[in-house]
Amino acid sequence: MALSEIDRQLLERCLSNKPQAWQDFVDRFMGLVTLVVNHTAECRSIRLDRADKEDLVSEVFLAVIKNDYAVLRRFRGQSSLATYLTVIARRVVVSHLMKNISARFTTSEAAAEPLSPAASVEDRLGDTEQLHSLLTKLNGPEADVVRLYHLEGKSYQEISDQTGMPAGSIGPTLSRARARMRGGH
């Protein structure tokens, strides 16, 4: 879908710093950004409270206005503005979720305990340095699944889509890989 006339005018108004333009932009895309925040966290089995969601929505809008609307200036109109903002929002949210996860993590229990798709944030990522060294004990599909899940924060469905492995096989593959990394097999 191409850029609509309404979005084109809104974009021009924002880039020209017209009065009320930014408020209109936020009003138009607040629901979309909120949806992206919720969906991205849900796909990564991360539970967010209301304050966390609001913070992430704010981070997305801050990214849009950063450097005099640099994100909007890069928009080429080859898609709808909503599609473009969805991609930008998802990148911002994933980046902030991964930073927050790394900051909160204090132990390396993730490599030792079996996880479910709804595991806590701290359990999902584990100690990145230790995980990198343990990954050397794996190869092939197991290493790919562990890397995608623990280091890239992908959901079971995203891993399935990327690797072609059935989503129902991801959990057992992770469990076997963890056992192998612990030296059990």
Side-chain angles (χ1 to χ4, degrees), residues 52-87:
D52 290 335
K53 290 177 186 179
E54 290 172 357
D55 288 347
L56 286 170
V57 168
S58 295
E59 289 296 331
V60 171
F61 284 116
L62 284 172
V64 171
I65 63 172
K66 186 177 179 182
N67 297 325
D68 192 31
Y69 299 102
V71 166
L72 296 181
R73 292 184 191 286
R74 286 193 298 266
F75 178 62
R76 298 290 168 237
Q78 297 173 341
S79 66
S80 71
L81 186 55
T83 299
Y84 180 75
L85 289 173
T86 298
V87 172

Side-chain angles (χ1 to χ4, degrees), residues 100-185:
N100 288 341
I101 289 167
S102 295
R104 289 183 200 164
F105 188 76
T106 57
T107 66
S108 60
E109 296 168 357
E113 296 297 323
L115 299 178
S116 70
S120 72
V121 170
E122 290 82 3
D123 289 340
R124 283 208 58 195
L125 280 187
D127 182 353
T128 304
E129 287 180 25
Q130 183 179 9
L131 192 55
H132 276 293
S133 70
L134 291 172
L135 272 170
T136 61
K137 296 181 180 181
L138 303 174
N139 54 33
E142 282 183 341
D144 292 340
V145 169
V146 169
R147 180 183 48 77
L148 290 168
Y149 185 78
H150 287 290
L151 297 178
E152 295 182 23
K154 303 278 186 191
S155 68
Y156 282 18
Q157 187 59 52
E158 289 171 319
I159 295 169
S160 175
D161 293 344
Q162 192 167 338
T163 64
M165 181 181 290
S169 299
I170 305 297
T173 300
L174 285 169
S175 293
R176 283 191 305 274
R178 283 188 207 95
R180 187 167 290 128
M181 288 188 303
R182 285 191 304 268
H185 292 98

